[in-house]
Amino acid sequence: MGHDLSIAGRLFLTNALFIIAMTVFVGTAAFVDARDRSFVEAKNRMLAVATSIADSPMVLAAARSDDPTGILQPYALRVTADGGLDFITIMAPDRTRWTHPTASEIGRPYIGTVRQALAGEPFSEVTTGTLGPSVRAIVPVTDEQGAVLGLVAVGVTTSNLSIALSARLPAVLAVALILLAAGTLASWIIGRYLSRVTLGWGPEQLAQLFVYYDSVLHSVREGLVLVDLSGKVVLYNDQAARLLGAPARSHARPSSRPGARASVAAALSLDRLDLPPGLGALLRSGRAAVDEIHLTDTRVLVVSQRPALLPGVRRNQQTPMGWVATIRDHTDLQNLGSELQSTRTLSDALRAQTHEHANRLHTIVSLMELGRGAEALDFATKDLEFSQKLTDDMTNSVDEPVLSALLMGKFAQASELGVLLSVEAAGSLSDFGLSAQDLVTVVGNLVDNALDAAAGGDAPRTVHLAVSATGDAVAIEVADSGPGVAPEAVTDILQRGYSTKEPGAYGRGLGLALVRQTVKRLGGNLSITRRVGAVFTVTLPHQGPPGPVAATEPARAQPTGVAHD
């Protein structure tokens, strides 16, 4: 059987051969059974006829007469014709025939076995006589004392039996042909179905594809999830299991044990996976999606989804068999983006400071050119004192160097936006085990969001950052003078993230989502209230190893601010 033959073709061919073999077997068995039954029926009929003749008083009287042939020959010929028999031979105990269908055989010895009949026992046999092979019965003719006075042999030739049996052959053949036609039709219907569901591929090709696809599933770096129409995950790879927290899949390996069968994992319900509401709704809906961003407790996932359709058929003519979703982990990339954004903030701060220093340097040079040296010196001194005071205030207020550098950049950014940014700090952040990256993510995104909100609001435009470190928690509060957040939108903001950027802007909706993700991962709380504008409050518990509790320090610096010149 060729390897290029499909499963449907192999099934049809195998089933057709099986049906033909079964038809031949059943037909032969039916023919042999009919033949055996015909012989048995013939023996029983011959025995009944012979017994009736032997019991006739006329036959007994003729056996005692001087001319048995004259009495019995006409009788035997009449009964032979009426009973549809081939011969009735009535003979003396010494085998001498008294009757025979052929008159020349009368008086000659009977050919066949008579020993049992001479002993008084009727019997039947198949033997060859003057008329050829025949089925016959021999019954003794006895008197009142049981003495055997003659023998009656009644028979029918096997050729006549074969003719009668041949009359039954059309019925047997008809049954065989009906069986063959029904089996062939059933094979064709099943073959069409298998051809459709297997796309006409053979078992070797399907096995090869299974091995290839399973290898691809285990080696691809993206998460791959196949969801059926009932919302159950029927297939996923190792990366998807890692990203979604699903049970790990095992490699499909062929077994060398005879009779071993590959096991198929049961479908996994989406309800058993701890998925974010947005991601779970996407996988259940089957909605087409391209590069949608979803956040779990610890990861930033980019998800694309499309329907699973049969190849080679137009999309508008198909019903999806399910949905295929690809999942990419952008957590590290987003972290790098946050670090890059922090670097851009510092770069923008340096650019703004360079611009301001260039303006002030031009002012000093111009004053000196005008011969007003004393005023130039006074202007330079005050500018130096202001810059140094800002740096000292930030360094003294926030003891985390990276966060201080970030806020210095935010001051420059606020200055360009015409927003007054003020910072108030209490306590020390160094004792809480918070990483600089987490602080930059939380504070940087909250301040950026507040600056955008305040810049779009009415004057006076202000943003206030308060950082308070107590014995067991750090509280970060960012308040702005913007339009605030509607109470009914607070739940959506905490679930999906929020942005004051225009629709389609880069990073839209990720800032607050990343803050929420970081706060949840650190075991903290994020709340949104309203004062003048929106107030975002983050509370983070102690993250480092337990140590002596530091006393709460008073505010080490008064609120500092930079307004637009």
Side-chain angles (χ1 to χ4, degrees):
M1 191 172 293
H3 287 182
D4 56 344
L5 194 60
S6 66
I7 293 179
R10 297 187 188 197
L11 176 66
F12 179 79
L13 182 59
T14 302
N15 197 46
L17 294 176
F18 176 76
I19 292 296
I20 292 174
M22 286 298 297
T23 302
V24 172
F25 174 77
V26 171
T28 303
F31 178 81
V32 172
D33 180 69
R35 185 196 62 186
D36 293 342
R37 290 173 65 87
S38 297
F39 274 77
V40 171
E41 291 175 0
K43 288 181 180 180
N44 292 336
R45 189 164 71 93
M46 296 305 103
L47 191 61
V49 173
T51 301
S52 297
I53 294 174
D55 291 342
S56 173
M58 183 193 69
V59 175
L60 180 61
R64 289 173 175 174
S65 68
D66 296 334
D67 186 15
T69 299
I71 300 173
L72 297 177
Q73 178 67 4
Y75 170 73
L77 292 177
R78 187 171 61 253
V79 174
T80 299
D82 293 343
L85 306 173
D86 287 327
F87 67 90
I88 295 178
T89 299
I90 303 175
M91 69 195 84
D94 61 355
R95 294 175 176 262
T96 301
R97 296 190 184 103
W98 290 335
T99 65
H100 196 274
T102 304
S104 60
E105 295 295 328
I106 296 175
R108 294 184 178 183
Y110 169 78
I111 301 174
T113 304
V114 296
R115 183 166 53 263
Q116 288 180 262
L118 291 175
E121 296 180 5
F123 72 97
S124 59
E125 65 176 351
V126 179
T127 187
T128 303
T130 57
L131 300 180
S134 61
V135 177
R136 62 186 65 182
I138 297 92
V139 178
V141 179
T142 59
D143 58 9
E144 293 78 3
Q145 288 76 29
V148 177
L149 302 181
L151 302 174
V152 179
V154 179
V156 61
T157 60
T158 56
S159 60
N160 288 335
L161 288 178
S162 298
I163 293 173
L165 183 60
S166 298
R168 301 184 182 181
L169 283 180
V172 175
L173 291 177
V175 172
L177 290 176
I178 292 174
L179 181 62
L180 180 60
T184 302
L185 179 61
S187 298
W188 180 77
I189 294 175
I190 297 176
R192 286 289 301 273
Y193 168 75
L194 287 178
S195 179
R196 185 173 69 254
V197 299
T198 61
L199 304 180
W201 288 17
E204 290 82 7
Q205 294 171 312
L206 291 176
Q208 189 177 47
L209 282 177
F210 176 79
V211 173
Y212 288 163
Y213 289 171
D214 191 71
S215 299
V216 170
L217 285 176
H218 283 281
S219 60
V220 71
R221 295 178 62 86
E222 290 187 354
L224 182 65
V225 177
L226 178 59
V227 183
D228 64 11
L229 297 177
S230 63
K232 292 183 178 180
V233 180
V234 296
L235 184 66
Y236 57 91
N237 64 351
D238 300 339
Q239 182 72 348
R242 186 177 68 87
L243 296 178
L244 301 180
R249 293 179 64 248
S250 59
H251 287 274
R253 303 180 183 273
S255 176
S256 59
R257 294 183 293 106
R261 301 172 62 184
S263 60
V264 179
L268 179 65
S269 174
L270 288 172
D271 297 333
R272 294 180 55 190
L273 301 178
D274 186 16
L275 300 178
L279 180 55
L282 173 63
L283 295 178
R284 289 185 184 91
S285 67
R287 173 175 55 85
V290 177
D291 292 344
E292 282 194 7
I293 297 177
H294 295 268
L295 282 81
T296 65
D297 292 344
T298 58
R299 299 184 184 279
V300 178
L301 304 179
V302 179
V303 183
S304 297
Q305 183 168 264
R306 60 179 297 179
L309 304 174
L310 288 174
V313 184
R314 292 183 179 179
R315 292 181 177 273
N316 57 359
Q317 298 178 350
Q318 294 193 62
T319 300
M321 300 177 65
W323 301 280
V324 178
T326 57
I327 305 173
R328 288 172 288 165
D329 188 3
H330 274 210
T331 305
D332 295 337
L333 183 61
Q334 189 60 46
N335 291 337
L336 291 175
S338 299
E339 294 180 4
L340 177 60
Q341 185 62 35
S342 300
T343 305
R344 283 179 177 176
T345 300
L346 296 178
S347 176
D348 291 341
L350 292 175
R351 177 185 56 78
Q353 290 176 356
T354 301
H355 177 72
E356 293 295 328
H357 285 305
N359 289 336
R360 292 164 184 168
L361 183 59
H362 284 303
T363 301
I364 294 172
V365 171
S366 298
L367 288 173
M368 294 184 66
E369 288 179 348
L370 294 174
R372 304 172 71 171
E375 295 181 10
L377 179 60
D378 182 62
F379 180 84
T381 302
K382 290 181 178 179
D383 180 63
L384 178 61
E385 290 176 352
F386 177 80
S387 299
Q388 187 61 43
K389 182 177 183 301
L390 177 61
T391 303
D392 292 342
D393 286 346
M394 287 306 307
T395 304
N396 293 330
S397 297
V398 182
D399 60 354
E400 172 57 53
V402 176
L403 187 57
S404 298
L406 174 69
L407 293 177
M408 290 291 293
K410 297 302 179 184
F411 275 113
Q413 183 179 349
S415 177
E416 288 190 340
L417 295 175
V419 178
L420 177 64
L421 173 61
S422 58
V423 178
E424 182 179 358
S428 174
L429 296 177
S430 59
D431 298 332
F432 284 84
L434 295 172
S435 68
Q437 183 177 357
D438 290 336
L439 287 174
V440 167
T441 298
V442 174
V443 176
N445 283 293
L446 289 179
V447 172
D448 281 341
N449 187 73
L451 290 176
D452 288 341
D458 299 329
R461 301 177 180 88
T462 61
V463 172
H464 179 71
L465 168 65
V467 181
S468 175
T470 61
D472 56 358
V474 174
I476 301 172
E477 180 184 278
V478 179
D480 62 69
S481 61
V485 179
E488 62 272 11
V490 170
T491 302
D492 292 338
I493 288 173
L494 293 179
Q495 287 183 351
R496 303 190 183 101
Y498 176 77
S499 176
T500 58
K501 300 176 183 179
E502 294 296 327
Y506 174 78
R508 174 175 173 81
L510 271 182
L512 288 179
L514 290 173
V515 171
R516 178 179 61 84
Q517 182 189 67
T518 302
V519 170
K520 189 172 183 179
R521 175 169 52 83
L522 296 177
N525 295 314
L526 170 62
S527 62
I528 303 175
T529 56
R530 183 181 179 90
R531 197 175 298 152
V532 177
V535 179
F536 291 80
T537 303
V538 173
T539 303
L540 300 175
H542 193 286
Q543 301 295 318
V549 178
T552 302
E553 301 180 12
R556 295 184 296 174
Q558 295 297 323
T560 59
V562 176
H564 181 63
D565 292 340

